[in-house]
Amino acid sequence: MAVFQMPRFSRWFLLFLALPLVRGCEPPDCDRQDCGTCGNACCSLQYVFDSINPTDLNSAVTRLLSTTGPDQHYQFIGGQDLRPYNISAWFILQGQHTTLVKKYNDTLNFVIYPASHAQGSMMTGFSVSQIAGAFCDYGQNYKNIVGFVKGMMVPYYEITLSGCPPPPIPT
């Protein structure tokens, strides 16, 4: 029985071509890589919205997750109205994002608070890779959150809380 053996150069060339598929994150917004901040790769961001109140923000997040989000790879898992508990957070939601190459799933958690000013709101977004041993994410967890928030088309201000550090400023 004859065995076909691919030349060494061809194997390396095919590996090079497949590398973007293995990485998982497809640009844009893949420049905020995290390596093990939460044991696994993760990202935690806070958003301030001046033009939307917490109740309307909760509705917008729920609706966008329920309709598969801006890239058709999001899924709504569940949510809870926390206002009866008289705590600072008003709403908590969970979703899932499947990477563009449909290979990896990441869990998304959102917590919505009223802002200190009367009409705005704040939201903490957290994304963590579900695959055990996903030490570096090539920016996917940041992309999961920022891509979703951009898809709401509401002006925002972003603050990094943990993981997914901004790239260094060129000197």
Side-chain angles (χ1 to χ4, degrees), residues 17-29:
L17 289 177
L19 189 58
L21 297 176
V22 173
R23 289 180 53 157
C25 190
E26 294 293 321
D29 298 320

Side-chain angles (χ1 to χ4, degrees), residues 60-88:
V61 171
T62 301
R63 184 173 43 256
L64 194 56
L65 281 173
S66 297
T67 58
T68 69
D71 69 356
Q72 285 68 56
H73 291 109
Y74 290 85
Q75 177 184 354
F76 180 69
I77 303 297
Q80 184 71 39
D81 183 344
L82 301 175
R83 291 175 292 179
Y85 302 107
N86 198 29
I87 57 176
S88 61

Side-chain angles (χ1 to χ4, degrees), residues 30-34 160 163-171:
C30 295
D31 60 342
R32 305 271 303 263
Q33 175 172 266
D34 182 68
T160 302
C164 58
I169 298 170
T171 55

Side-chain angles (χ1 to χ4, degrees), residues 31-79:
D31 60 342
R32 305 271 303 263
Q33 175 172 266
D34 182 68
C35 289
T37 297
C38 301
N40 251 16
C42 69
C43 182
S44 183
L45 304 167
Q46 185 169 63
Y47 291 91
V48 178
F49 302 93
D50 290 330
S51 62
I52 188 169
N53 67 56
T55 303
D56 291 341
L57 180 59
N58 178 62
S59 295
V61 171
T62 301
R63 184 173 43 256
L64 194 56
L65 281 173
S66 297
T67 58
T68 69
D71 69 356
Q72 285 68 56
H73 291 109
Y74 290 85
Q75 177 184 354
F76 180 69
I77 303 297

Side-chain angles (χ1 to χ4, degrees), residues 46-51 115 117 121-123 155-159:
Q46 185 169 63
Y47 291 91
V48 178
F49 302 93
D50 290 330
S51 62
H117 54 287
S121 55
M122 296 186 325
M123 180 175 76
Y156 63 85
Y157 177 75
E158 178 184 289
I159 303 162

Side-chain angles (χ1 to χ4, degrees), residues 83-124:
R83 291 175 292 179
Y85 302 107
N86 198 29
I87 57 176
S88 61
W90 282 20
F91 302 98
I92 190 166
L93 300 120
Q94 188 171 71
Q96 178 176 295
H97 182 261
T98 303
T99 60
L100 188 59
V101 293
K102 297 187 180 200
K103 186 171 182 178
Y104 305 109
N105 292 325
D106 303 314
T107 299
L108 297 149
N109 292 301
F110 298 102
V111 182
I112 298 172
Y113 307 85
S116 55
H117 54 287
Q119 297 180 352
S121 55
M122 296 186 325
M123 180 175 76
T124 300

